């Protein structure tokens, strides 16, 4: 890590209840102050509750997806404009679960990033290869293709986004990329960003995939890893707080 302020963002996925969320947030707030930026990305119905619980704190909140459209006949979707009305700070776009289960392609992900930025929300754009892609030597080509769609669509504004490298084979599996494997990909992404924006060295590139309190510090110590996108471990306040401390 350089002088970039790390970001640790929790991705709650489709977990939680009003009672469980209140307890989790109280535990996270009790861990303050943090030296890194901290956010939680929560299921849409809880955005209002979470915004209220975190108001005035140092912990930001975000959503897990947004529509690629401004508004219209898109049943079930939530627009970036709606999220912005609540003061949403971040939105995850292109998570591998969205790409895999909702057939989101690179261009749709780029469109979502663009619309979020236009509404003043920082997109956390996820890229990452599957196990088959890694084993067939395609990691570099896949992540570059995924990022280049976003670069193409945003132009130099790509400097405003957060990137998350999440190898699909490491998500929720307990198999973390080694710090060296992760750093190798992060460095490639940084080079690609440098060609697109002068802000590349100020941008945060997060690692995600089975980050836990016991492996966070070595991952975050890598020169191009600027924090993490945390799934399972973000649901337990003590684990999430420990990971935030490892980044600060
Ligand atoms: P995990 O999920 O930490 O549970 O592996 C990370 C993610 O999917 O963002």
């Amino acid at each position: 890590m350089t002088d970039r302020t790390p970001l640790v963002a929790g991705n709650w996925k489709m977990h939680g209840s009003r009672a469980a969320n209140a307890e989790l947030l109280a535990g996270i707030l009790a861990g303050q102050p943090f030296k890194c930026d901290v956010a939680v990305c929560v299921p849409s119905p809880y955005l209002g509750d979470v915004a209220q619980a975190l108001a005035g704190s140092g912990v930001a909140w975000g959503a897990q997806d947004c529509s690629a459209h401004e508004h219209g006949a898109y049943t079930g979707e939530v627009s970036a404009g709606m999220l912005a009305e609540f003061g949403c700070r971040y939105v995850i776009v292109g998570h591998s679960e969205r790409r895999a289960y909702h057939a989101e392609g690179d261009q749709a992900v780029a469109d979502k990033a663009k619309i979020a930025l236009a509404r003043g929300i920082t997109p956390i754009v996820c890229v990452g290869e599957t196990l088959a892609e890694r084993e067939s030597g395609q990691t570099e080509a896949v992540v570059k293709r995924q990022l280049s769609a976003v670069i193409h669509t945003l132009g130099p504004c790509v400097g405003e986004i957060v990137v998350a490298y999440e190898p699909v084979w490491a998500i929720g599996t307990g198999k973390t990329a080694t710090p060296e494997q992760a750093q190798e990909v992060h460095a490639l992404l940084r080079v690609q960003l440098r060609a697109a924006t002068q802000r590349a060295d100020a941008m945060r590139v997060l690692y995600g995939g089975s980050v836990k309190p016991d492996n966070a510090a070595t991952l975050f110590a890598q020169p191009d890893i600027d924090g993490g996108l945390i799934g399972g471990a973000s649901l337990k306040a003590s684990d999430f707080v420990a990971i935030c401390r490892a980044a600060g």
Side-chain angles (χ1 to χ4, degrees):
M1 242 151 3
T2 64
D3 51 359
R4 295 180 283 272
T5 304
L7 168 64
V8 174
N11 173 11
W12 289 4
K13 308 195 180 187
M14 200 172 71
H15 293 290
S17 66
R18 296 184 91 175
N21 300 347
E23 198 182 322
L24 176 55
L25 291 173
I28 295 170
L29 290 175
Q32 292 194 106
F34 299 113
K35 291 195 189 124
C36 62
D37 289 343
V38 176
V40 289
C41 295
V42 309
S44 293
Y46 300 130
L47 291 172
D49 277 0
V50 171
Q52 206 169 18
L54 297 179
S57 80
V59 178
W61 59 272
Q64 298 173 8
D65 184 35
C66 69
S67 175
H69 307 281
E70 283 280 357
H71 50 78
Y74 301 104
T75 302
E77 296 206 32
V78 173
S79 75
M82 294 170 187
L83 296 173
E85 262 196 291
F86 285 81
C88 180
R89 180 80 188 280
Y90 297 99
V91 60
I92 299 170
V93 298
H95 190 280
S96 60
E97 288 151 16
R98 302 284 323 166
R99 292 181 190 261
Y101 309 145
H102 301 271
E104 285 187 15
D106 296 336
Q107 190 55 52
V109 173
D111 291 342
K112 289 177 178 209
K114 186 172 183 179
I115 217 157
L117 269 186
R119 292 296 184 156
I121 301 171
T122 301
I124 300 175
V125 178
C126 302
V127 300
E129 81 288 1
T130 62
L131 185 59
E133 287 163 343
R134 173 162 283 266
E135 286 177 343
S136 59
Q138 290 175 267
T139 299
E140 180 171 353
V142 169
V143 298
K144 280 189 168 170
R145 188 203 72 223
Q146 291 172 333
L147 185 58
S148 83
V150 181
I151 289 173
H152 210 81
T153 300
L154 298 188
C157 291
V158 75
E160 306 300 320
I161 73 169
V162 171
V163 176
Y165 168 55
E166 297 207 309
V168 179
W169 48 271
I171 294 177
T173 58
K175 280 188 207 154
T176 322
T178 65
E180 295 73 25
Q181 279 174 324
Q183 166 58 26
E184 193 183 350
V185 177
H186 281 238
L188 289 171
L189 295 171
R190 183 92 55 200
V191 167
Q192 193 180 359
L193 290 166
R194 277 195 197 113
T197 170
Q198 293 185 337
R199 288 202 73 253
D201 288 299
M203 290 176 68
R204 270 97 59 101
V205 183
L206 314 183
Y207 170 78
S210 298
V211 178
K212 307 286 176 214
D214 61 359
N215 60 24
T218 45
L219 285 160
F220 298 162
Q222 297 297 311
D224 287 294
I225 300 183
D226 311 307
L229 184 55
I230 318 299
S234 74
L235 298 172
K236 196 171 157 199
S238 57
D239 283 359
F240 189 64
V241 166
I243 292 168
C244 294
R245 296 237 186 287

Short mmCIF file of all heavy atoms in Angstrom, two decimals, residues 42-48 51 61-67 70 77-93 112 115-116 119-122:
data_model
loop_
_atom_site.label_atom_id
_atom_site.label_comp_id
_atom_site.label_asym_id
_atom_site.label_seq_id
_atom_site.Cartn_x
_atom_site.Cartn_y
_atom_site.Cartn_z
N VAL A 42 -25.35 -3.15 1.63
CA VAL A 42 -26.43 -3.92 2.27
C VAL A 42 -27.57 -4.16 1.29
O VAL A 42 -27.70 -3.47 0.28
CB VAL A 42 -26.92 -3.15 3.53
CG1 VAL A 42 -25.75 -2.78 4.41
CG2 VAL A 42 -27.72 -1.90 3.18
N PRO A 43 -28.44 -5.13 1.58
CA PRO A 43 -29.61 -5.37 0.73
C PRO A 43 -30.51 -4.13 0.69
O PRO A 43 -30.70 -3.46 1.71
CB PRO A 43 -30.32 -6.54 1.40
CG PRO A 43 -29.27 -7.22 2.23
CD PRO A 43 -28.36 -6.11 2.69
N SER A 44 -31.09 -3.87 -0.46
CA SER A 44 -31.86 -2.63 -0.66
C SER A 44 -32.93 -2.31 0.39
O SER A 44 -33.04 -1.16 0.80
CB SER A 44 -32.53 -2.64 -2.04
OG SER A 44 -31.55 -2.56 -3.02
N PRO A 45 -33.71 -3.30 0.86
CA PRO A 45 -34.77 -2.91 1.82
C PRO A 45 -34.22 -2.30 3.11
O PRO A 45 -34.93 -1.59 3.80
CB PRO A 45 -35.47 -4.24 2.12
CG PRO A 45 -35.14 -5.13 0.98
CD PRO A 45 -33.77 -4.72 0.52
N TYR A 46 -32.95 -2.58 3.40
CA TYR A 46 -32.38 -2.10 4.66
C TYR A 46 -31.64 -0.77 4.53
O TYR A 46 -31.07 -0.26 5.50
CB TYR A 46 -31.41 -3.14 5.23
CG TYR A 46 -32.06 -4.47 5.52
CD1 TYR A 46 -31.49 -5.66 5.06
CD2 TYR A 46 -33.25 -4.55 6.25
CE1 TYR A 46 -32.07 -6.89 5.33
CE2 TYR A 46 -33.84 -5.77 6.52
CZ TYR A 46 -33.25 -6.94 6.05
OH TYR A 46 -33.84 -8.15 6.32
N LEU A 47 -31.61 -0.20 3.32
CA LEU A 47 -30.80 1.00 3.11
C LEU A 47 -31.20 2.13 4.05
O LEU A 47 -30.35 2.80 4.63
CB LEU A 47 -30.91 1.46 1.65
CG LEU A 47 -30.26 0.54 0.62
CD1 LEU A 47 -30.59 0.99 -0.80
CD2 LEU A 47 -28.75 0.48 0.82
N GLY A 48 -32.51 2.33 4.21
CA GLY A 48 -32.99 3.42 5.06
C GLY A 48 -32.57 3.23 6.50
O GLY A 48 -32.03 4.14 7.14
N ALA A 51 -28.78 3.66 6.79
CA ALA A 51 -28.41 5.07 6.67
C ALA A 51 -28.63 5.78 8.01
O ALA A 51 -27.79 6.57 8.46
CB ALA A 51 -29.22 5.73 5.57
N TRP A 61 -22.14 3.73 3.77
CA TRP A 61 -22.95 2.59 3.34
C TRP A 61 -23.17 2.63 1.84
O TRP A 61 -23.03 3.66 1.20
CB TRP A 61 -24.28 2.54 4.09
CG TRP A 61 -25.11 3.77 3.91
CD1 TRP A 61 -25.06 4.90 4.66
CD2 TRP A 61 -26.10 3.99 2.91
NE1 TRP A 61 -25.95 5.81 4.18
CE2 TRP A 61 -26.61 5.27 3.11
CE3 TRP A 61 -26.61 3.22 1.86
CZ2 TRP A 61 -27.59 5.82 2.30
CZ3 TRP A 61 -27.59 3.75 1.06
CH2 TRP A 61 -28.08 5.04 1.28
N GLY A 62 -23.47 1.48 1.32
CA GLY A 62 -23.67 1.39 -0.11
C GLY A 62 -24.63 0.28 -0.46
O GLY A 62 -25.10 -0.46 0.42
N ALA A 63 -24.90 0.16 -1.75
CA ALA A 63 -25.80 -0.87 -2.26
C ALA A 63 -24.96 -1.94 -2.96
O ALA A 63 -23.75 -1.79 -3.13
CB ALA A 63 -26.81 -0.23 -3.21
N GLN A 64 -25.64 -3.01 -3.38
CA GLN A 64 -24.92 -4.14 -3.98
C GLN A 64 -25.09 -4.23 -5.48
O GLN A 64 -24.51 -5.09 -6.13
CB GLN A 64 -25.42 -5.45 -3.34
CG GLN A 64 -25.16 -5.51 -1.86
CD GLN A 64 -25.79 -6.71 -1.21
OE1 GLN A 64 -26.32 -7.59 -1.88
NE2 GLN A 64 -25.75 -6.77 0.11
N ASP A 65 -25.91 -3.33 -6.02
CA ASP A 65 -26.16 -3.33 -7.46
C ASP A 65 -27.00 -2.10 -7.76
O ASP A 65 -27.61 -1.52 -6.85
CB ASP A 65 -26.93 -4.60 -7.87
CG ASP A 65 -27.15 -4.70 -9.37
OD1 ASP A 65 -26.24 -4.29 -10.13
OD2 ASP A 65 -28.22 -5.18 -9.80
N CYS A 66 -27.04 -1.68 -9.01
CA CYS A 66 -28.00 -0.68 -9.43
C CYS A 66 -28.35 -0.98 -10.88
O CYS A 66 -27.65 -1.75 -11.55
CB CYS A 66 -27.47 0.75 -9.28
SG CYS A 66 -26.14 1.17 -10.41
N SER A 67 -29.42 -0.40 -11.34
CA SER A 67 -29.83 -0.62 -12.73
C SER A 67 -28.89 0.11 -13.69
O SER A 67 -28.27 1.11 -13.33
CB SER A 67 -31.26 -0.07 -12.92
OG SER A 67 -31.63 -0.17 -14.27
N GLU A 70 -31.80 4.73 -16.19
CA GLU A 70 -32.18 5.85 -15.31
C GLU A 70 -33.48 5.56 -14.58
O GLU A 70 -33.62 5.78 -13.39
CB GLU A 70 -32.37 7.13 -16.14
CG GLU A 70 -31.09 7.80 -16.57
CD GLU A 70 -30.46 8.63 -15.45
OE1 GLU A 70 -31.04 8.74 -14.35
OE2 GLU A 70 -29.37 9.16 -15.70
N GLU A 77 -35.91 -3.61 -10.45
CA GLU A 77 -34.61 -2.93 -10.40
C GLU A 77 -34.65 -1.68 -9.54
O GLU A 77 -35.71 -1.09 -9.30
CB GLU A 77 -34.17 -2.59 -11.83
CG GLU A 77 -33.93 -3.84 -12.65
CD GLU A 77 -32.92 -3.60 -13.76
OE1 GLU A 77 -32.00 -2.78 -13.59
OE2 GLU A 77 -33.07 -4.26 -14.79
N VAL A 78 -33.48 -1.27 -9.12
CA VAL A 78 -33.32 -0.07 -8.30
C VAL A 78 -32.36 0.85 -9.03
O VAL A 78 -31.28 0.42 -9.46
CB VAL A 78 -32.76 -0.45 -6.91
CG1 VAL A 78 -32.41 0.79 -6.10
CG2 VAL A 78 -33.76 -1.31 -6.14
N SER A 79 -32.75 2.11 -9.21
CA SER A 79 -31.87 3.01 -9.98
C SER A 79 -30.85 3.70 -9.09
O SER A 79 -31.04 3.85 -7.87
CB SER A 79 -32.71 4.07 -10.70
OG SER A 79 -33.16 5.05 -9.79
N ALA A 80 -29.78 4.15 -9.72
CA ALA A 80 -28.75 4.88 -8.99
C ALA A 80 -29.34 6.17 -8.42
O ALA A 80 -28.98 6.61 -7.33
CB ALA A 80 -27.57 5.19 -9.91
N GLY A 81 -30.28 6.78 -9.15
CA GLY A 81 -30.92 8.01 -8.67
C GLY A 81 -31.67 7.77 -7.36
O GLY A 81 -31.66 8.61 -6.46
N MET A 82 -32.33 6.61 -7.28
CA MET A 82 -33.05 6.29 -6.04
C MET A 82 -32.07 6.10 -4.88
O MET A 82 -32.29 6.59 -3.77
CB MET A 82 -33.87 5.00 -6.23
CG MET A 82 -34.99 5.13 -7.23
SD MET A 82 -35.67 3.49 -7.59
CE MET A 82 -36.79 3.92 -8.92
N LEU A 83 -30.99 5.42 -5.16
CA LEU A 83 -29.98 5.21 -4.11
C LEU A 83 -29.40 6.55 -3.67
O LEU A 83 -29.19 6.78 -2.47
CB LEU A 83 -28.86 4.30 -4.64
CG LEU A 83 -29.28 2.87 -5.01
CD1 LEU A 83 -28.13 2.14 -5.68
CD2 LEU A 83 -29.73 2.12 -3.76
N ALA A 84 -29.16 7.42 -4.65
CA ALA A 84 -28.57 8.72 -4.33
C ALA A 84 -29.49 9.55 -3.43
O ALA A 84 -29.01 10.31 -2.59
CB ALA A 84 -28.26 9.48 -5.62
N GLU A 85 -30.80 9.37 -3.60
CA GLU A 85 -31.74 10.12 -2.76
C GLU A 85 -31.55 9.85 -1.28
O GLU A 85 -31.88 10.67 -0.43
CB GLU A 85 -33.17 9.71 -3.13
CG GLU A 85 -33.86 10.65 -4.08
CD GLU A 85 -35.35 10.39 -4.09
OE1 GLU A 85 -35.74 9.31 -4.59
OE2 GLU A 85 -36.10 11.25 -3.60
N PHE A 86 -31.06 8.64 -0.97
CA PHE A 86 -30.83 8.28 0.43
C PHE A 86 -29.44 8.68 0.91
O PHE A 86 -29.09 8.47 2.06
CB PHE A 86 -30.97 6.75 0.62
CG PHE A 86 -32.38 6.27 0.58
CD1 PHE A 86 -33.04 6.06 -0.61
CD2 PHE A 86 -33.06 5.99 1.77
CE1 PHE A 86 -34.33 5.60 -0.64
CE2 PHE A 86 -34.36 5.53 1.75
CZ PHE A 86 -35.00 5.34 0.54
N GLY A 87 -28.62 9.17 -0.02
CA GLY A 87 -27.24 9.53 0.36
C GLY A 87 -26.27 8.38 0.21
O GLY A 87 -25.23 8.33 0.88
N CYS A 88 -26.61 7.43 -0.66
CA CYS A 88 -25.76 6.25 -0.87
C CYS A 88 -24.37 6.66 -1.36
O CYS A 88 -24.23 7.46 -2.27
CB CYS A 88 -26.44 5.37 -1.92
SG CYS A 88 -25.55 3.88 -2.31
N ARG A 89 -23.35 6.09 -0.79
CA ARG A 89 -21.98 6.49 -1.10
C ARG A 89 -21.31 5.56 -2.12
O ARG A 89 -20.55 6.00 -2.97
CB ARG A 89 -21.21 6.48 0.22
CG ARG A 89 -19.79 6.85 0.16
CD ARG A 89 -19.63 8.36 0.10
NE ARG A 89 -18.23 8.67 -0.15
CZ ARG A 89 -17.30 8.67 0.78
NH1 ARG A 89 -17.61 8.43 2.02
NH2 ARG A 89 -16.05 8.93 0.45
N TYR A 90 -21.58 4.25 -2.00
CA TYR A 90 -20.94 3.26 -2.88
C TYR A 90 -21.99 2.32 -3.45
O TYR A 90 -23.03 2.09 -2.83
CB TYR A 90 -19.95 2.39 -2.10
CG TYR A 90 -18.79 3.12 -1.49
CD1 TYR A 90 -18.81 3.49 -0.13
CD2 TYR A 90 -17.66 3.44 -2.24
CE1 TYR A 90 -17.73 4.16 0.44
CE2 TYR A 90 -16.59 4.11 -1.67
CZ TYR A 90 -16.63 4.47 -0.34
OH TYR A 90 -15.56 5.13 0.23
N VAL A 91 -21.70 1.79 -4.62
CA VAL A 91 -22.52 0.69 -5.12
C VAL A 91 -21.59 -0.34 -5.78
O VAL A 91 -20.71 0.01 -6.58
CB VAL A 91 -23.63 1.16 -6.09
CG1 VAL A 91 -23.09 1.86 -7.33
CG2 VAL A 91 -24.52 -0.02 -6.52
N ILE A 92 -21.76 -1.60 -5.38
CA ILE A 92 -21.00 -2.68 -6.02
C ILE A 92 -21.62 -2.92 -7.39
O ILE A 92 -22.85 -3.03 -7.50
CB ILE A 92 -21.09 -3.97 -5.18
CG1 ILE A 92 -20.51 -3.76 -3.77
CG2 ILE A 92 -20.37 -5.13 -5.89
CD1 ILE A 92 -20.79 -4.93 -2.81
N VAL A 93 -20.82 -2.98 -8.42
CA VAL A 93 -21.35 -3.38 -9.74
C VAL A 93 -20.48 -4.48 -10.33
O VAL A 93 -19.27 -4.52 -10.11
CB VAL A 93 -21.50 -2.21 -10.75
CG1 VAL A 93 -22.48 -1.16 -10.24
CG2 VAL A 93 -20.18 -1.57 -11.09
N LYS A 112 -23.62 0.48 -15.72
CA LYS A 112 -24.01 0.70 -14.32
C LYS A 112 -23.01 1.61 -13.61
O LYS A 112 -23.40 2.51 -12.85
CB LYS A 112 -24.09 -0.65 -13.58
CG LYS A 112 -25.27 -1.50 -14.03
CD LYS A 112 -25.30 -2.86 -13.35
CE LYS A 112 -26.53 -3.61 -13.83
NZ LYS A 112 -27.05 -4.55 -12.84
N ILE A 115 -23.63 5.21 -14.75
CA ILE A 115 -24.85 5.83 -14.21
C ILE A 115 -24.68 6.13 -12.71
O ILE A 115 -25.16 7.14 -12.20
CB ILE A 115 -26.06 4.94 -14.54
CG1 ILE A 115 -27.27 5.78 -14.86
CG2 ILE A 115 -26.35 3.91 -13.51
CD1 ILE A 115 -28.30 5.06 -15.70
N ALA A 116 -23.97 5.26 -12.02
CA ALA A 116 -23.72 5.50 -10.59
C ALA A 116 -22.87 6.77 -10.42
O ALA A 116 -23.22 7.66 -9.64
CB ALA A 116 -23.00 4.31 -9.97
N ARG A 119 -24.58 9.93 -10.75
CA ARG A 119 -25.43 10.27 -9.60
C ARG A 119 -24.60 10.52 -8.35
O ARG A 119 -25.12 10.56 -7.23
CB ARG A 119 -26.43 9.13 -9.35
CG ARG A 119 -27.46 9.00 -10.45
CD ARG A 119 -28.32 10.25 -10.51
NE ARG A 119 -29.38 10.13 -11.50
CZ ARG A 119 -30.50 10.83 -11.45
NH1 ARG A 119 -30.70 11.71 -10.48
NH2 ARG A 119 -31.41 10.69 -12.38
N GLY A 120 -23.32 10.60 -8.51
CA GLY A 120 -22.46 10.92 -7.37
C GLY A 120 -22.17 9.75 -6.45
O GLY A 120 -21.76 9.93 -5.30
N ILE A 121 -22.39 8.54 -6.95
CA ILE A 121 -22.14 7.33 -6.14
C ILE A 121 -20.88 6.66 -6.69
O ILE A 121 -20.73 6.53 -7.91
CB ILE A 121 -23.33 6.35 -6.24
CG1 ILE A 121 -24.61 7.03 -5.75
CG2 ILE A 121 -23.05 5.07 -5.47
CD1 ILE A 121 -25.88 6.22 -6.00
N THR A 122 -19.99 6.26 -5.81
CA THR A 122 -18.76 5.61 -6.27
C THR A 122 -19.02 4.13 -6.56
O THR A 122 -19.36 3.38 -5.64
CB THR A 122 -17.66 5.71 -5.18
OG1 THR A 122 -17.43 7.10 -4.92
CG2 THR A 122 -16.37 5.04 -5.64
#
